[in-house]
Amino acid sequence: TAAMKDKGADPYDLKQQENVLGESRMMIPDCHKRLEAALADLKSTLAESEVKEGPEVEDAKKTVEEVEKQFPTEDA
C-alpha cells in the first residue's frame, strides 16, 4: 500500500487494497490453528494406527517433521 500511496493511486483502490491486507492478516492465526489441529490429528492417527510401516506411514512421519520445523508445538 505504501507504493500505491507514493504513486498517487486512486483512493478507492487504495482503500480496497488496505481491506484485503487486513483480511489477510486476520486469516493467518486461523490458518495456524487449523494447521496445528491437523498436525495433532495426524500424530494421533499415526500413534493409533496398526500399520507401522509403508510408504503412507513414512510420508505422514515426514510431513509431521516438516510441519514441526515450521510451527513448533508444545509437545514437539
Side-chain angles (χ1 to χ4, degrees):
T1 58
M4 290 178 73
K5 288 178 185 177
D6 292 342
K7 292 180 182 178
D10 184 306
Y12 176 79
D13 292 337
L14 184 57
K15 182 67 176 169
Q16 292 294 44
Q17 190 63 33
E18 288 172 346
N19 289 340
V20 168
L21 181 61
E23 289 176 11
S24 297
R25 286 185 176 147
M26 289 188 310
M27 289 174 51
I28 293 171
D30 181 54
C31 291
H32 191 268
K33 287 178 187 175
R34 288 179 187 211
L35 181 58
E36 286 178 339
L39 178 61
D41 287 345
L42 182 56
K43 284 180 171 182
S44 175
T45 301
L46 279 172
E48 295 172 3
S49 175
E50 293 179 12
V51 178
K52 300 296 180 191
E53 296 179 16
E56 294 86 0
V57 174
E58 294 305 315
D59 286 345
K61 289 178 181 179
K62 186 176 177 182
T63 299
V64 168
E65 289 175 13
E66 290 174 7
V67 172
E68 284 180 337
K69 287 178 188 175
Q70 298 296 319
F71 301 101
T73 59
E74 292 157 10
D75 61 319

